Amino acid sequence: MKILFIQPPLEVNRKHKRILPLGIGYLLAVIRKEFPEISLKFLDMESGNLTTDYAMNFIGEFAPEILMISCWTPMADYAFEIMTAAKKKFGDKIIIISGGVHPTIFPAECLEYADFVVKHEGELTITELLRFLSGCRDLNANAILQSASDLLSVKGLAFKQNGRVIFSGD
């Protein structure tokens, strides 16, 4: 399995310091420890002043099954742009997981673009979700979401089923 993590750009920060993505670093460390067989990459669009086109080329070259995007509210429009482009280009062949401050506060909005939202601190939730996904025969987002009752055991997760937002609980 391949996972790509993206930190979108923070436009309001262009003239100031760059943000060190500690939360993403924690998640990458947990995934590396719990799933050493998973191939992980991280694309920091914030510190590299990278465009959505660059991100889409990077996604295409790496070909991840899972795309994870973490964002704050000022990054949300860029995150939505990337998620929209990824779904348009790769369809259900890529599972999109969103997390961070904005998705935690506005999961319904983020689920217009992502397949899953990890709310609050994500280390345990992402570990449980990846265990669940690694047990799936097919990593097709629609197929997984259609049989999503098993996902309720993954606490801290929001997803849509039949147009309705479901939260698995804290």
Side-chain angles (χ1 to χ4, degrees), residues 35-114:
F35 306 94
E37 72 282 2
I38 290 178
S39 178
L40 287 172
K41 285 201 176 184
F42 171 55
L43 179 62
D44 186 357
M45 295 178 70
E46 164 56 19
S47 24
N49 289 328
L50 304 175
T51 65
T52 299
D53 288 339
Y54 182 92
M56 293 309 299
N57 288 332
F58 195 93
I59 294 167
E61 288 174 16
F62 182 54
E65 287 89 3
I66 299 173
L67 175 63
M68 295 186 187
I69 297 184
S70 179
C71 68
W72 300 349
T73 298
M75 299 170 158
D77 287 339
Y78 285 106
F80 298 157
E81 183 180 312
I82 295 161
M83 291 187 273
T84 299
K87 276 298 181 184
K88 183 177 179 182
K89 185 171 182 176
F90 304 105
D92 290 328
K93 294 177 183 160
I94 193 165
I95 294 172
I96 299 177
I97 302 170
S98 184
V101 175
H102 191 81
T104 292
I105 297 170
F106 302 106
E109 178 186 24
C110 294
L111 287 169
E112 295 299 318
Y113 308 94

Side-chain angles (χ1 to χ4, degrees), residues 12-53:
V12 297
N13 220 26
R14 289 288 172 234
K15 295 180 183 176
H16 304 289
K17 64 182 178 179
R18 298 294 182 223
I19 304 296
L20 182 64
L22 287 177
I24 293 173
Y26 294 145
L27 291 172
L28 290 169
V30 167
I31 294 168
R32 174 91 48 217
K33 180 180 180 223
E34 296 294 322
F35 306 94
E37 72 282 2
I38 290 178
S39 178
L40 287 172
K41 285 201 176 184
F42 171 55
L43 179 62
D44 186 357
M45 295 178 70
E46 164 56 19
S47 24
N49 289 328
L50 304 175
T51 65
T52 299
D53 288 339

Side-chain angles (χ1 to χ4, degrees), residues 96-157:
I96 299 177
I97 302 170
S98 184
V101 175
H102 191 81
T104 292
I105 297 170
F106 302 106
E109 178 186 24
C110 294
L111 287 169
E112 295 299 318
Y113 308 94
D115 300 305
F116 299 101
V117 164
V118 172
K119 293 183 67 171
H120 305 290
E121 300 302 318
E123 290 85 351
L124 294 175
T125 302
I126 204 66
T127 300
E128 290 178 23
L129 179 58
L130 290 175
R131 278 197 187 103
F132 177 87
L133 293 174
S134 65
C136 294
R137 271 184 298 128
D138 183 15
L139 281 181
N140 177 296
N142 270 339
I144 292 167
L145 289 168
Q146 292 308 313
S147 60
S149 60
D150 293 338
L151 284 168
L152 291 174
S153 66
V154 179
K155 298 302 176 197
L157 191 65

